């Protein structure tokens, strides 16, 4: 899962990001409100940690922009303000949680995990499944439930297959993949995407899964079950 931190104190944001990466989250940091607003509106993040006092644009304005645009990210407000009125304003504008400084990073991580479990549904899983392909979220492994074989995958491979497995049988464009996996501020050459898709196809074949990554000419890619393979 991907998390955005919009916090003008970079050292604090970096400490939070380092701890979240230990939890296997992908984290981006922006210290300016205008940049943070732009990134959050891409809707590629599962959760946004949003400071109130920011240069360029304050956190409450960003929060209102996200809700107006119907962005689905969970939002945790992070601020030094402790007045009840500020907390109530954050919840009124649509924040999912509110943490005041100073705080323990472990408490913030716990609150993040709670919000992401809510986003996933009432019964959180440590894996995704499509056909007989199983993605072990905690250990970065692909497993085939038919052959019982498994194989390790890299961070980028994980992000790519996770995105495809959460949208099975749907055509996903290259631009959508670039934004979700590499981020909107990163220049990615087309052959990089093709290389990672090739790596994943080979690994899926090695473990004997019936799932295929299909290229749809001019449109993008789709993850689907090869039912001919199932009947063999």
């Amino acid at each position: 899962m991907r998390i955005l931190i919009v916090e003008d104190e970079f050292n604090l944001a970096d400490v939070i990001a380092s701890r979240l990466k230990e939890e296997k989250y992908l984290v981006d940091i922006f210290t300016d409100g205008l940049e943070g607003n732009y990134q959050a509106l891409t809707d590629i993040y599962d959760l946004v940690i949003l400071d109130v006092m920011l240069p360029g644009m304050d956190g409450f304005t960003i929060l209102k922009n996200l809700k107006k645009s119907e962005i689905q990210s969970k939002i945790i407000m992070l601020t030094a303000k402790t007045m009840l009125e500020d907390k109530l304003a954050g919840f009124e504008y649509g924040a999912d949680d509110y943490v005041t400084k100073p705080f323990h990073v472990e408490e913030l991580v716990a609150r993040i995990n709670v919000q992401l479990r809510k986003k996933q549904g009432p019964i959180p899983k440590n894996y995704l499944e499509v056909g007989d392909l199983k993605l072990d979220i905690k250990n970065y492994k692909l497993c085939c439930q038919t052959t019982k074989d498994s194989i390790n995958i890299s961070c980028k491979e994980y992000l790519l297959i996770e995105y495809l497995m959460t949208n099975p049988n749907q055509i996903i464009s290259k631009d959508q993949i670039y934004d979700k996996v590499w981020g909107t501020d990163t220049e990615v050459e087309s052959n990089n995407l093709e290389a990672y898709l090739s790596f994943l196809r080979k690994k899926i074949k090695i473990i004997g899964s019936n799932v295929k990554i299909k290229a749809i000419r001019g449109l993008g890619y789709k993850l689907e079950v090869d039912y001919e393979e199932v009947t063999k």
Side-chain angles (χ1 to χ4, degrees), residues 6 50-54 57-60 77-81 98:
V6 188
L50 184 59
D51 192 20
V52 171
M53 303 300 291
L54 293 164
M57 182 181 292
D58 68 87
F60 286 146
M77 302 300 294
L78 190 65
T79 179
K81 291 190 173 184
Y98 206 113

Side-chain angles (χ1 to χ4, degrees), residues 170-196:
Q170 296 183 38
I171 298 174
I172 303 175
S173 70
K174 288 184 177 181
D175 286 342
Q176 288 176 307
I177 293 174
Y178 293 150
D179 288 348
K180 186 68 175 180
V181 177
W182 277 272
T184 57
D185 63 331
T186 304
E187 293 184 6
V188 183
E189 295 182 4
S190 179
N191 59 357
N192 287 342
L193 173 56
E194 295 297 336
Y196 281 107

Side-chain angles (χ1 to χ4, degrees), residues 24 33 45 51 80 111 134 225:
K24 306 298 185 183
Y45 296 97
D51 192 20
R111 288 174 179 267
K134 186 173 180 178
V225 177

Side-chain angles (χ1 to χ4, degrees), residues 123-220:
I123 305 177
K125 293 182 177 180
N126 291 325
Y127 57 86
L128 294 173
E129 292 178 287
V130 175
D132 67 359
L133 185 65
K134 186 173 180 178
L135 174 62
D136 185 332
I137 294 173
K138 291 294 183 181
N139 298 307
Y140 280 30
K141 283 186 177 182
L142 282 176
C143 312
C144 177
Q145 299 185 82
T146 300
T147 65
K148 307 303 180 184
D149 290 334
S150 64
I151 193 167
N152 292 323
I153 55 177
S154 69
C155 179
K156 278 291 186 289
E157 290 169 344
Y158 169 83
L159 285 174
L160 182 51
I161 194 65
E162 180 197 38
Y163 190 28
L164 293 171
M165 291 182 74
T166 52
N167 298 277
N169 300 311
Q170 296 183 38
I171 298 174
I172 303 175
S173 70
K174 288 184 177 181
D175 286 342
Q176 288 176 307
I177 293 174
Y178 293 150
D179 288 348
K180 186 68 175 180
V181 177
W182 277 272
T184 57
D185 63 331
T186 304
E187 293 184 6
V188 183
E189 295 182 4
S190 179
N191 59 357
N192 287 342
L193 173 56
E194 295 297 336
Y196 281 107
L197 287 169
S198 177
F199 297 153
L200 282 171
R201 288 187 178 112
K202 289 177 181 178
K203 290 184 177 182
I204 291 171
K205 185 175 182 180
I206 287 172
I207 63 175
S209 173
N210 59 28
V211 170
K212 307 292 182 183
I213 301 174
K214 185 176 181 181
I216 310 299
R217 183 179 295 275
L219 296 176

Side-chain angles (χ1 to χ4, degrees), residues 10 18 43 63 67-68 85 96 133 170 172 180 213 221:
F10 179 79
S18 296
D43 205 15
L63 175 59
K67 293 304 176 180
K68 185 177 180 179
E85 290 80 2
D96 296 287
L133 185 65
Q170 296 183 38
I172 303 175
K180 186 68 175 180
I213 301 174
Y221 303 91

